[in-house]
Amino acid sequence: MTDHWHRPLRHVKGGELSGNTAQTSGMRRLEAISGRTVGSEKVWMGETHIGPATNSGDHHHGEAETAIHVKSGHPVFVFAEGDEEIRLEAGPGDYIFVPPYVPHREENPGGEDAVVIIARSSQEGIVVNLPSLWAPVDKPAD
């Protein structure tokens, strides 16, 4: 009999990440930790690859907070502030925080792949693809 506090740890090897998760054009998400892969209840974690000279489609991650760590390359994170497009240029070792429901996109203007590690406050990879950064977002009332 196993109680709640004595469950096994789960090990997902780097070569076992799954592409069977929500996707956005211009990037490839790989899922490591999720409700589906390890039975997590409150976190999703994986990595995203953005090829050279590529932009992702505009999207948001619903109610999930997203934390991003740049593993390699020099991705640019783009979001709208009023009528202005804001660009955050990042490099290896940097971190980016994306609040819930915020439309954004990733760009990779460089000549090498950009790889980022992602953690979300949901057990599944929520992705809502949008036609633009200024598209209306369906957000539940507070």
Side-chain angles (χ1 to χ4, degrees):
M1 179 172 161
T2 302
D3 65 42
H4 183 74
W5 304 111
H6 294 96
R7 296 181 293 172
L9 301 182
R10 298 292 305 270
H11 180 191
V12 178
K13 295 182 179 184
E16 297 175 346
L17 277 61
S18 168
N20 187 22
T21 188
Q23 300 290 332
T24 298
S25 65
M27 60 185 358
R28 183 169 166 244
R29 286 188 189 91
L30 299 172
E31 179 177 67
I33 306 297
S34 70
R36 186 180 62 79
T37 61
V38 299
S40 66
E41 297 175 9
K42 297 180 182 176
V43 69
W44 182 97
M45 190 169 191
E47 63 185 45
T48 299
H49 296 245
I50 310 157
T54 301
N55 296 349
S56 77
D58 298 332
H59 61 281
H60 71 79
H61 301 289
E63 66 188 9
E65 293 183 329
T66 301
I68 301 170
H69 174 72
V70 179
K71 181 176 176 181
S72 63
H74 291 86
V76 177
F77 299 87
V78 183
F79 63 99
E81 189 171 284
D83 292 338
E84 187 177 350
E85 190 175 276
I86 306 296
R87 303 172 62 75
L88 302 176
E89 297 181 9
D94 290 354
Y95 292 83
I96 301 289
F97 173 70
V98 181
Y101 297 99
V102 173
H104 62 282
R105 75 172 168 268
E106 288 83 6
E107 298 181 355
N108 181 8
E112 62 179 327
D113 278 2
V115 178
V116 299
I117 307 302
I118 298 173
R120 291 206 184 94
S121 62
S122 63
Q123 76 182 108
E124 298 306 327
I126 301 168
V127 177
V128 179
N129 293 309
L130 300 167
S132 81
L133 294 176
W134 291 272
V137 173
D138 293 328
K139 179 182 173 191
D142 290 331

